[in-house]
Amino acid sequence: MSCRNSCHCNVQTPNPKILALILDLDGTLLDTERATKGVVKEFLAKYGKVMNEGMEGTKKLGMTLTDSAAAIVEDYDLPLTPDQYIKEIIPMYQEKWMYAKALPGANRLIKHLYNHGIPFALASNSLREYIDLKISHQKGWKECFKVILGSDQVKAGKPSPYLFVEAAKRMDVDAANCLVIEDSLVGVKAAKAAKMEVVAVPPLIEAGCSSLANTVLHSLLEFQPELWGLPPFEDWVDDALPIEPIHLTGLYVNGFLCEATEGGAFALPDQVFGAFFGFATVDMHKTFNVVVSIGLDQCSCLCQKVIKICMIDGTNDCTSNQQMKIQIVGYIRALTSEETTCIDTELLEEYKSIAMASMDLPTFPQHCGLL
């Protein structure tokens, strides 16, 4: 399909050739942010403090643990040293890390690089001890990385370049031949300081990555290795990609899903973005085959997520103001900004056709009946 993954921004032909990759962990491969949502708020409440949601959502992203701890102690005037804060809060984080899920496309990318013998490293601002704990809950990850580095193993963490420079050195690859994939501005700055190519897959709050990265993606599902001189993915089934099932719940209103929140946060990470297909169950009764487009409302100053639901068989049995549960099983392509809120009829029919041809194939997860 000619339009597949057409939303790459700032794509530049790599020169020299990319021989190795360096991947960030939190927010790039693993959705630890959502898994640990509420930990800082709960901790601050013990000291009679109220968390500033907006500040914590932007200020601390990508920072080292030491820098983040110092900032929180200062911002909230806590009667603790940064080291005391770390000692008290880390056990609370550890209880949550086991629930962190791989972000869309993460397992696929790791498997692809490993199977093709492409060396790749994990370089995170977390301490090495905490990296090992986080990835211990992800089957096969630790064995796949040629190098794993934490900020405590180098002179300074991101945005300094030392993590990436050391990772390249340990892989015996020149920095100029490395491609970094990051989600945060501090990570992108570190990669550029290390003289490396960088792909950014940022959440909404890290839009500043866009101007510095070589390429900006909404999701790892949009990553095309061949653009960097690497072997292409071979898992597409005609014009559709089987993916690990994604579940979402919300109120269906006039063709859109108002996503339910968990503790005030949306269940879907920002990196779930694009045209998908799967199954929808309404009020635990009838199941429909659906095309799901997930993007952003560019007209809103809040850049809110927009989830458009289209019944594949054209049924009108699904009325508004009903609870809907969705199981997404396939990915079609990225969305342009114009398609986020309105997909033209011809393109929508193409998406329906792709979905209909794919949903009964054994390569795609089937509706499990329990969404």
Side-chain angles (χ1 to χ4, degrees):
M1 180 172 154
S2 60
C3 62
R4 182 192 298 170
N5 289 348
S6 59
C7 296
H8 289 253
C9 304
N10 308 329
V11 177
Q12 300 176 11
T13 303
N15 184 26
K17 181 177 174 61
I18 298 300
L19 301 176
L21 277 78
I22 304 175
L23 311 178
D24 175 53
L25 179 60
D26 302 298
T28 300
L29 298 177
L30 200 58
D31 192 13
T32 45
E33 177 70 19
R34 212 160 303 274
T36 58
K37 184 76 174 180
V39 168
V40 174
K41 183 177 182 179
E42 180 184 345
F43 181 89
L44 291 174
K46 295 193 303 182
Y47 288 90
K49 308 292 184 178
V50 178
M51 187 175 79
N52 182 326
E53 298 277 357
M55 181 171 65
E56 298 312 315
T58 57
K59 185 176 179 181
K60 311 299 188 300
L61 191 64
M63 293 175 64
T64 64
L65 178 61
T66 301
D67 290 342
S68 175
I72 290 176
V73 168
E74 179 180 355
D75 289 345
Y76 294 97
D77 193 26
L78 293 174
L80 302 167
T81 66
D83 286 342
Q84 289 172 329
Y85 169 83
I86 291 171
K87 185 177 180 179
E88 287 190 27
I89 201 169
I90 284 299
M92 298 172 66
Y93 276 113
Q94 290 175 334
E95 292 177 2
K96 303 289 187 179
W97 285 338
M98 69 176 69
Y99 302 110
K101 297 178 181 179
L103 285 162
N107 281 314
R108 176 192 186 216
L109 176 60
I110 289 171
K111 180 180 179 182
H112 179 75
L113 297 175
Y114 184 78
N115 287 344
H116 284 83
I118 301 165
F120 60 106
L122 183 61
S124 169
N125 259 355
S126 290
L127 303 185
R128 175 57 192 271
E129 174 189 358
Y130 303 149
I131 295 173
D132 289 340
L133 283 173
K134 292 173 186 177
I135 66 175
S136 68
H137 302 290
Q138 308 300 318
K139 186 177 180 180
W141 279 22
K142 187 172 183 178
E143 295 75 22
C144 288
F145 290 102
K146 186 170 183 180
V147 173
I148 299 176
L149 278 177
S151 60
D152 56 324
Q153 295 177 279
V154 293
K155 182 179 179 180
K158 309 167 193 176
S160 298
Y162 302 112
L163 266 170
F164 293 140
V165 171
E166 182 63 22
K169 180 181 178 181
R170 295 193 186 191
M171 289 190 291
D172 196 25
V173 178
D174 288 341
N177 298 112
C178 290
L179 173 65
V180 173
I181 301 183
E182 267 282 357
D183 74 305
S184 69
L185 181 58
V186 296
V188 171
K189 287 181 176 179
K192 300 308 288 186
K195 309 299 182 184
M196 297 179 180
E197 306 292 304
V198 58
V199 171
V201 193
L204 293 179
I205 59 175
E206 285 290 279
C209 293
S210 303
S211 61
L212 296 179
N214 298 85
T215 304
V216 181
L217 308 177
H218 297 106
S219 163
L220 286 177
L221 293 173
E222 297 177 15
F223 181 63
Q224 294 176 266
E226 62 270 27
L227 296 180
W228 302 94
L230 302 169
F233 286 115
E234 301 165 337
D235 50 357
W236 285 84
V237 181
D238 294 327
D239 292 322
L241 174 68
I243 62 173
E244 300 168 43
I246 299 171
H247 299 88
L248 58 155
T249 303
L251 185 67
Y252 176 77
V253 181
N254 297 326
F256 292 88
L257 188 76
C258 301
E259 187 190 0
T261 61
E262 298 176 355
F266 289 111
L268 283 182
D270 292 343
Q271 293 87 344
V272 179
F273 188 101
F276 301 86
F277 58 86
F279 309 95
T281 297
V282 179
D283 287 340
M284 300 305 293
H285 297 302
K286 190 169 182 179
T287 297
F288 304 91
N289 295 341
V290 294
V291 167
V292 183
S293 66
I294 304 176
L296 301 175
D297 182 358
Q298 303 292 343
C299 297
S300 169
C301 60
L302 299 177
C303 270
Q304 295 177 328
K305 187 172 292 183
V306 177
I307 305 174
K308 173 71 174 174
I309 309 296
C310 180
M311 308 299 166
I312 291 176
D313 59 5
T315 181
N316 293 317
D317 293 343
C318 185
T319 57
S320 248
N321 299 309
Q322 296 187 79
Q323 286 297 317
M324 177 178 284
K325 293 186 177 182
I326 295 176
Q327 180 186 44
I328 295 173
V329 300
Y331 173 74
I332 300 174
R333 52 156 286 182
L335 296 178
T336 64
S337 58
E338 293 77 15
E339 293 171 335
T340 297
T341 53
C342 182
I343 300 177
D344 68 62
T345 303
E346 183 178 349
L347 195 55
L348 182 57
E349 289 304 314
E350 181 180 1
Y351 292 169
K352 288 183 180 180
S353 177
I354 292 170
M356 289 176 65
S358 304
M359 293 183 75
D360 291 331
L361 297 177
T363 46
F364 288 85
Q366 299 301 300
H367 172 54
C368 64
L370 293 172
L371 295 180

